[in-house]
Amino acid sequence: MADRFIAIDWGTTNRRVYIVEDGRAVETVRDDCGILAMVGRDYDEEIAHIRKSWGDLDVLIAGMAGSNRGWREAAYVNCPARIDDLAKSILWIEPRHTAIIPGVAARNGRPDVMRGEEVQLFGAITAHLVPDDALLCQPGTHCKWAVMEGAAITSFTTAMTGELFALLRTHSLLASQLDGMIENGTAFQEGVRDGRDHDLQSSLFGVRAAELLGRRSKTDAPSYTSGLLIGNDVAARNISGKTVYILADPVFGGLYAAAVTELDGSAVIIDSQSSFVAGVTAIRNRIL
Amino acid sequence: MADRFIAIDWGTTNRRVYIVEDGRAVETVRDDCGILAMVGRDYDEEIAHIRKSWGDLDVLIAGMAGSNRGWREAAYVNCPARIDDLAKSILWIEPRHTAIIPGVAARNGRPDVMRGEEVQLFGAITAHLVPDDALLCQPGTHCKWAVMEGAAITSFTTAMTGELFALLRTHSLLASQLDGMIENGTAFQEGVRDGRDHDLQSSLFGVRAAELLGRRSKTDAPSYTSGLLIGNDVAARNISGKTVYILADPVFGGLYAAAVTELDGSAVIIDSQSSFVAGVTAIRNRIL
């Protein structure tokens, strides 16, 4: 009989529910019911509600639902972290039926944390989408850069790249200039190089100055500024001559891939949802 | 008889009116009537209103009132810019009675603009508060770094340092951590060094990670984060071994001075209001 369970990637603003059958997602539902939308609501009821739709299956949860602002706090596993460590440290809500996968913490050197991304990272490796030793990048509100060695997360860095762009577009002096399409073209590439060559705080003001002095077309400002932030992020990871495996959807991943290429690295885009499903299945197989 | 005139430093959010007599400010009024508050209001009436209080004196205006979002646009003077260039390019609203001092543009290399700061820069030099060849820093929402050579502004750079901190404190993931006192202490200094040694986007997420992992006291987060942004700004100006003349009020100037010192420069704090009055007087003397 087929092994069937429910996997939930439960983030801050979004949630994705997967019905996994023999390691493949047979159904996927994405909504904006992240942990922020769960404030004041009951997680037990929410899970019961999900089971009503899909059957009384086991539920495996990753992401911010396991944080101190979510359902129940699942203590971080420390770097170097292997998939077996995650499986061993799983937080059972209802024994052998409902569980939360812990996040990973970097405590040596600069402190850092992740919740949810670790499942994708391990999934990319167990599905043989990336080698056991690799540099992986997960673009997003908070972009993760993970160094994997021997299939373990040995160190990682988070950058506020996506959040900074959103802040600038919504609330800053540059807001009126940033409300438009972002595409990988000349302006984006110029931004990537400036993001590498100059400090971000002055380059950002330069977006305004360029407009006042008629130096850049109005439609180019969003792409240039996105390039600045992404280029600054990528350049700080010393990727020149390296292969970066980018776990993302094709659109957002495409911008990071373009920046990696512009900064003399090689980029391989890996589907982040397939990686998640592979990772959560591999963890399930270890706790069954 | 004493020479008496009205000088206005008219910014985006604030305005400062000085009654200047023989080169000294005898009265100063500061309010929040910047150009944003002037939208839909009449500048002529506003000036008439000011003259009603202080007499029918000549009025000299600097700052954003001379921008395309202010009263009347005064075309930028290009770098290298001397005080004589500003005086020659002054925009008369009412001949020999009401005028706007132009801003300065850097068009060679990276584009940049200033409006209002140039008066302080030249004032600091004409009042002999700084030498004719000097590196000057004007902290604020948009921090200016000006290179003066032979009493001319030869190049300058603007950084969004103050605005970024305000965005982070008001709207970001870090908002709840940044609502507190900023002081020059161990946390600030650590931030300055991290701002020099690491990229800003990952250091900022580190503020959150440090809290989650219990690595920094809650009260230290605002000072550390301010140090990060200021240190990142200062380090990008290559000030090691140089003297930086900081035009600011003592509190804000003190933080920049501390960062300059931490990054192996020497800091001299110059009073920005005295510099403005000296600069506007020197310009008046050239157009009388």
Side-chain angles (χ1 to χ4, degrees), chain B residues 139 181-184 188 230 248-258 269:
Chain B
M181 280 278 293
I182 295 167
E183 52 187 6
N184 173 21
F188 180 82
I230 293 176
D249 65 277
V251 176
F252 204 13
L255 290 176
Y256 264 79
I269 299 180

Side-chain angles (χ1 to χ4, degrees), chain A residues 158-190:
Chain A
T158 308
M160 277 181 62
T161 322
E163 180 170 357
L164 268 190
F165 189 79
L167 287 173
L168 292 165
R169 180 152 62 175
T170 314
H171 300 290
S172 80
L173 169 82
L174 307 179
S176 66
Q177 292 182 255
L178 299 184
D179 185 24
M181 280 279 291
I182 295 168
E183 51 187 6
N184 173 23
T186 313
F188 179 83
Q189 303 286 344
E190 188 195 343

Side-chain angles (χ1 to χ4, degrees), chain B residues 221-257:
Chain B
S223 299
Y224 173 80
T225 308
S226 172
L228 266 186
L229 292 168
I230 293 176
N232 190 263
D233 182 5
V234 172
R237 303 326 142 205
N238 299 313
I239 55 92
S240 174
K242 296 183 190 164
T243 298
V244 180
Y245 295 88
I246 300 170
L247 290 167
D249 65 277
V251 176
F252 204 13
L255 290 176
Y256 264 79

Side-chain angles (χ1 to χ4, degrees), chain B residues 63-127:
Chain B
M64 292 299 286
S67 76
N68 59 3
R69 297 185 298 160
W71 187 2
R72 200 84 75 72
E73 191 171 354
Y76 294 109
V77 165
N78 292 332
C79 281
R82 310 183 67 86
I83 192 169
D84 291 339
D85 302 323
L86 285 195
K88 269 180 221 153
S89 305
I90 209 150
L91 175 68
W92 288 105
I93 306 280
E94 188 186 343
R96 316 214 65 76
H97 199 36
T98 309
I100 297 178
I101 299 167
V104 176
R107 294 180 195 266
N108 297 330
R110 303 172 76 203
D112 214 324
V113 291
M114 62 167 69
R115 281 202 188 272
E117 294 89 351
E118 67 288 341
V119 175
Q120 290 181 17
L121 294 172
F122 290 123
I125 284 182
T126 59

Side-chain angles (χ1 to χ4, degrees), chain B residues 140-173:
Chain B
T141 304
H142 301 140
C143 181
K144 303 284 179 193
W145 292 85
V147 176
M148 312 286 296
E149 295 174 284
I153 305 171
T154 50
S155 66
F156 65 94
T157 301
T158 308
M160 278 181 62
T161 323
E163 181 170 356
L164 268 190
F165 189 79
L167 287 174
L168 292 165
R169 181 153 61 176
T170 314
H171 300 290
S172 81
L173 169 83

Side-chain angles (χ1 to χ4, degrees), chain A residues 5 7 9 16 18-28 83 116-130 136 138 246-250 269-283:
Chain A
F5 71 103
D9 191 357
R16 212 181 280 264
Y18 300 86
I19 310 304
V20 184
E21 201 175 287
D22 289 337
R24 288 183 316 110
V26 292
E27 297 266 2
T28 308
I83 191 169
E117 293 90 351
E118 66 289 339
V119 176
Q120 289 182 17
L121 295 172
F122 290 123
I125 284 182
T126 58
H128 305 293
L129 300 170
V130 312
L136 282 79
Q138 297 163 292
I246 301 172
L247 291 167
D249 65 277
I269 299 181
I270 307 286
D271 183 70
S272 55
Q273 290 188 52
S274 311
S275 299
F276 179 81
V277 172
V280 78
T281 301
I283 292 167

Side-chain angles (χ1 to χ4, degrees), chain A residues 3-5 58 60 279-288:
Chain A
D3 178 53
R4 199 175 154 94
F5 71 103
D58 293 345
L60 256 183
V280 78
T281 301
I283 292 167
R284 173 167 170 80
N285 291 340
R286 282 165 169 77
I287 59 172
L288 264 184

